[in-house]
Amino acid sequence: MAELRNGDLARRTAHEILVMIQSGDIKPGDHLRSQLLADKFGVSRSPVRDAMHLLSDKGVLEQRRNRGFFATDKGPGRIAKLVQASSQNLEDQDVYRRIAEDWLTDAIDEEVTELFLQTRYDLTKAELKDILLRATREGWAERKKGYGWRFLPVAKTPEAFEQIYRLRMTIEPAAILEPTFTPDRKRLTELRDDQQRLLDTDVEKLRLERLLNTGSDFHESLIQLSGNPFFHMSLVRANRMRRLLEYRAKLDADRLYSQCRQHIEIIDLLAAGELIEASYALKKHLQGALAKKTRSSRPDLVDF
Amino acid sequence: MAELRNGDLARRTAHEILVMIQSGDIKPGDHLRSQLLADKFGVSRSPVRDAMHLLSDKGVLEQRRNRGFFATDKGPGRIAKLVQASSQNLEDQDVYRRIAEDWLTDAIDEEVTELFLQTRYDLTKAELKDILLRATREGWAERKKGYGWRFLPVAKTPEAFEQIYRLRMTIEPAAILEPTFTPDRKRLTELRDDQQRLLDTDVEKLRLERLLNTGSDFHESLIQLSGNPFFHMSLVRANRMRRLLEYRAKLDADRLYSQCRQHIEIIDLLAAGELIEASYALKKHLQGALAKKTRSSRPDLVDF
DNA sequence: TTTTGGATTATTCTAATGCAAAATCCAATC
DNA sequence: GATTGGATTTTGCATTAGAATAATCCAAAA
């Protein structure tokens, strides 16, 4: 029998498959074609197969010899538990966030050597390189000319929140008015459903991360419809930085409901072809979030 | 006698010192304090000292025992030649641009392995990592989940030019109208002088890179005055991508003169406190550049 | 006191090896 | 013909020791 190699990629892939099952993308009895999934995840069949082995050990999948893997009908509660567990598992290993947190709370210096980080967070060279790559891409770390790295103060202050919103208030409404903007029906419907689902769920019960993701998705999908990838990229970059701060923010449930409703209103305006009105509503929506924020001293989670 | 260690950093530092001499920042007879220069360049004294040794070998500096290095009075022609040579030297080693060029001209595949790049461009692991870090930061490369890297098509098409300009037309004029915008007299004067100097020089004689730099500096400095680093960052990122394309563009001297004059007009409006007018002029300025571009099939250098 | 210049120390790079993991290939099976 | 599942190949990571290079220290000179 083949060894079970479970690298990080296999585990991450297993998690993604679980999410697909949870969301109903894969239904009980479905045949999981390995090449199909591999293409979907942008990897080769090897880690997919390893992932499927992992999941069949958990009883989520069932292997039939020479026919591949099939989804069993584990109850949704059981699936949710496994999703929770595997996402917890992945987050534990997320040193990236720990470093970001330490930097934001001044627990580490502005300038550090690789060696320092490697020993402090018990990382191998490649792991550290990977994390610094990410931090560089997201704009809060840079290589010094000689030895060492410098962390940038860009999103440390409370004003940073406001500044990010000011940028968003400029580019998001403008994106809707771009001549290449096309309100894609199908995408809009999907977005509307996502928002509606959030409204229907008891917001209190949702995990913070899920909320942030759905909110970011809305805004980023919208700007993507502009057909200009540079608008999209600017927003994505700003949002990534915002996230660093938001993990420490509080949650305001009432606010969230109202935000959700505004999102839906904007989608409806777009679907009706009222671009100018939608652009204006989006601007107001962001303005409202900003106004709320500046009133409180500690950063709230005001938009998502 | 101490060994002459000339790492890359020493050579780059030597180049920077040469540029300072050329620009008149360092005059013949001046004493070059090592700590001062080290601080200026953000490195330690070691590479600075190595650089000064390199330059004294070339006769640009003169070492007096126990007193340090002093600038000699080599003619400006000779200095210019050395600057040219050392920048040429540095560019030759700039594999980054070669890879970008190869990608833009479809000389390499969309998806490659590190090994492939390492052997094709004869790089060590660390050199390659460095280059890929840069490409990631500038947004045209990304790590695949498993093994390998993917180059992104984001700035390959002619439309990319237009899209970048559309983003700029949105954020640059808006930045001037931000409530935190402060037209810093000193900075404005510096910028005006830079532009005037370009007008006074025979534009035909300038090197492409110098032109692009002065142009980018103008626009980026302007947006920086908004006091919102996220506006600035968005522009810088878009510009970096634009550069990848512009190295292949043609030059239109008449156009450049007119661009320069427009830059100065905008500065004057800002200095007079006419923010709204300045914002509008900037928008028109970018619009003009965009209009010119779309008329020609091959990308021209229309703004700088 | 400030700065230099050599010496010392710390950090990172290089290169080589073995190993883990991902990609690819291919015969067997549906 | 499409898909699987094992085998094979390729790729990249971990580790190490040694070399190169940058940062820092300190006595001596200005």
Side-chain angles (χ1 to χ4, degrees), chain A residues 88-144:
Chain A
Q88 195 60 46
N89 211 329
L90 292 171
E91 271 181 44
D92 280 346
Q93 301 167 346
D94 196 356
V95 192
Y96 175 78
R97 239 184 257 164
R98 255 172 67 216
I99 297 180
E101 183 72 20
D102 283 352
W103 163 232
L104 290 173
T105 57
D106 290 315
I108 49 177
D109 278 343
E110 183 185 347
E111 304 199 346
V112 295
T113 65
E114 291 182 9
L115 202 63
F116 167 81
L117 293 172
Q118 225 182 302
T119 53
R120 184 181 222 265
Y121 298 98
D122 189 30
L123 296 166
T124 67
K125 265 203 184 75
E127 285 169 333
L128 178 63
K129 278 265 158 73
D130 226 60
I131 288 172
L132 290 173
L133 180 76
R134 217 173 130 188
T136 306
R137 189 172 30 132
E138 313 218 334
W140 57 278
E142 70 178 15
R143 253 206 109 121
K144 293 210 294 174

Side-chain angles (χ1 to χ4, degrees), chain A residues 5 9 43-46 66-67 113-115 143 147:
Chain A
R5 299 167 298 182
L9 190 52
V43 298
S44 74
R45 278 171 55 214
S46 297
N66 284 325
R67 304 217 31 228
T113 65
E114 291 182 9
L115 202 63
R143 253 206 109 121
Y147 291 156

Side-chain angles (χ1 to χ4, degrees), chain A residues 6-238:
Chain A
N6 38 14
D8 210 38
L9 190 52
R11 265 184 313 236
R12 276 181 289 156
T13 306
H15 180 74
E16 296 195 74
I17 293 175
L18 271 177
V19 170
M20 284 181 74
I21 292 174
Q22 189 182 32
S23 75
D25 253 10
I26 295 173
K27 283 175 257 305
D30 278 2
H31 180 198
L32 284 74
R33 250 155 285 242
S34 53
Q35 187 60 60
L36 216 77
L37 288 174
D39 290 346
K40 192 176 195 87
F41 300 144
V43 298
S44 74
R45 278 171 55 214
S46 297
V48 173
R49 253 175 351 112
D50 293 342
M52 295 199 288
H53 274 118
L54 282 172
L55 292 176
S56 81
D57 284 352
K58 303 263 183 201
V60 178
L61 300 181
E62 176 189 38
Q63 181 169 26
R64 300 188 199 149
R65 55 169 264 153
N66 284 325
R67 304 217 31 228
F69 292 84
F70 295 78
T72 62
D73 57 352
K74 285 265 171 197
R78 188 128 183 71
I79 297 288
K81 219 165 166 180
L82 284 167
V83 168
Q84 181 80 17
S86 70
S87 97
Q88 195 60 46
N89 211 329
L90 292 171
E91 271 181 44
D92 280 346
Q93 301 167 346
D94 196 356
V95 192
Y96 175 78
R97 239 184 257 164
R98 255 172 67 216
I99 297 180
E101 183 72 20
D102 283 352
W103 163 232
L104 290 173
T105 57
D106 290 315
I108 49 177
D109 278 343
E110 183 185 347
E111 304 199 346
V112 295
T113 65
E114 291 182 9
L115 202 63
F116 167 81
L117 293 172
Q118 225 182 302
T119 53
R120 184 181 222 265
Y121 298 98
D122 189 30
L123 296 166
T124 67
K125 265 203 184 75
E127 285 169 333
L128 178 63
K129 278 265 158 73
D130 226 60
I131 288 172
L132 290 173
L133 180 76
R134 217 173 130 188
T136 306
R137 189 172 30 132
E138 313 218 334
W140 57 278
E142 70 178 15
R143 253 206 109 121
K144 293 210 294 174
K145 276 190 189 169
Y147 291 156
W149 289 76
R150 186 193 343 272
F151 293 124
L152 306 174
V154 72
K156 283 192 84 167
T157 62
E159 294 88 54
F161 250 124
E162 183 168 342
Q163 290 169 335
I164 290 175
Y165 274 101
R166 304 262 348 155
L167 176 67
R168 292 180 61 188
M169 280 171 54
T170 300
I171 61 174
E172 293 193 39
I176 291 181
L177 300 178
E178 280 292 289
T180 48
F181 184 88
T182 44
D184 174 9
R185 285 295 165 139
K186 199 164 148 238
R187 194 83 197 83
L188 286 177
T189 310
E190 279 172 25
L191 286 176
R192 198 183 196 287
D193 291 348
D194 286 346
Q195 299 298 315
Q196 193 62 52
R197 209 174 303 126
L198 267 193
L199 272 183
D200 295 342
T201 319
D202 186 0
V203 172
E204 307 275 6
K205 276 189 184 156
L206 288 169
R207 293 182 52 232
L208 177 56
E209 196 175 336
R210 169 90 193 289
L211 276 170
L212 291 175
N213 282 340
T214 314
S216 290
D217 277 357
F218 168 76
H219 285 278
E220 289 174 12
S221 299
L222 222 59
I223 210 168
Q224 207 162 19
L225 293 179
S226 74
N228 187 328
F230 298 97
F231 273 83
H232 181 244
M233 198 184 307
S234 290
L235 177 61
V236 168
R237 288 231 146 94

